[in-house]
Amino acid sequence: MGLVQMELHAVTNDSLPIKELIEKIKTIEPEVDFIHIRERSKTARELVYLVKSLLSEGVPKEKMVINDRVDVALLTNIHRVHLPGHSFSPKELRRKFPHLHAGVSVHSLEEAQAAEREGAEYVMFGHVYDTSCKQGVKARGVKLVEEMTSAVSIPVVVIGGITPDRIQELMHVKLKGIAVMSGIFTQDHPRLQAQALAEKLKENPYERAL
């Protein structure tokens, strides 16, 4: 057994111009474990430019995760991708590109179990709490998160309305990590918010077999 700290995943929210997005990512990078590039409205050319710019600015490639766009990951030599639930199978993806690591977004226990069968290395489940990103959609709650960590053997990351104050009530669930989108990228001082989240995670390590 050993003490483990949950990871902090920052997920871009597809609402910033590229130059502003680059600056925000550079600002938060020291505080987070992973940065998910989730920019669905940007073209492949723009995404390649974004990723190459981040790499040239010193953002570690190991921290970057490309959401959905496997082509962009391959062109920029990023080894981590995150797939929507409706995307192709991670098992099939790795058969063709064995160097890629793939997680999958899920919204139910059944989807999480299916993602595990299809070879996902982890699932990202949400939304746990009410969030401005999912207005009018009922939050799924911590109890379902607990059930999910028991229902699958792969790690679970949670997303949706997670604030520093809510981290404490997630610690007993033994998650791989938390993911935050608007709670970082819509803030005037994103690094301060990322720091606050990271500090809470450091205060609350949990026991896990290593």
Side-chain angles (χ1 to χ4, degrees), residues 23-112:
E23 289 308 309
K24 284 206 173 188
I25 290 174
K26 279 167 54 184
T27 298
I28 65 162
E29 178 272 312
E31 312 300 333
V32 305
D33 297 295
F34 294 102
I35 299 156
H36 293 244
I37 307 298
R38 183 182 180 276
E39 298 291 300
R40 294 177 176 175
S41 68
K42 291 181 172 58
T43 65
R45 184 187 294 269
E46 289 173 320
L47 288 169
V48 168
Y49 172 79
L50 169 63
V51 174
K52 286 184 174 180
S53 298
L54 290 169
L55 291 169
S56 69
E57 292 280 357
V59 175
K61 102 180 218 183
E62 295 76 19
K63 285 192 177 185
M64 275 198 264
V65 184
I66 307 298
N67 188 289
D68 199 14
R69 297 300 302 263
V70 174
D71 54 344
V72 173
L74 293 171
L75 278 168
T76 55
N77 199 30
I78 300 298
H79 292 181
R80 297 179 188 276
V81 295
H82 187 82
L83 304 173
H86 56 74
S87 190
F88 32 72
S89 156
K91 200 179 288 181
E92 193 178 330
L93 179 68
R94 270 204 306 278
R95 198 173 295 132
K96 185 74 173 172
F97 306 106
H99 68 287
L100 289 182
H101 301 276
V104 174
S105 290
V106 300
H107 304 93
S108 69
L109 293 179
E110 294 74 21
E111 287 181 12

Side-chain angles (χ1 to χ4, degrees), residues 141-155:
V142 177
K143 187 173 186 303
L144 192 51
V145 177
E146 292 178 38
E147 291 174 18
M148 181 166 293
T149 57
S150 299
V152 297
S153 58
I154 57 175

Side-chain angles (χ1 to χ4, degrees), residues 126-158:
H127 58 291
V128 180
Y129 299 101
D130 289 327
T131 170
S132 59
C133 299
K134 299 279 186 181
Q135 288 183 350
V137 181
K138 183 174 168 54
R140 292 176 170 89
V142 177
K143 187 173 186 303
L144 192 51
V145 177
E146 292 178 38
E147 291 174 18
M148 181 166 293
T149 57
S150 299
V152 297
S153 58
I154 57 175
V156 177
V157 177
V158 291

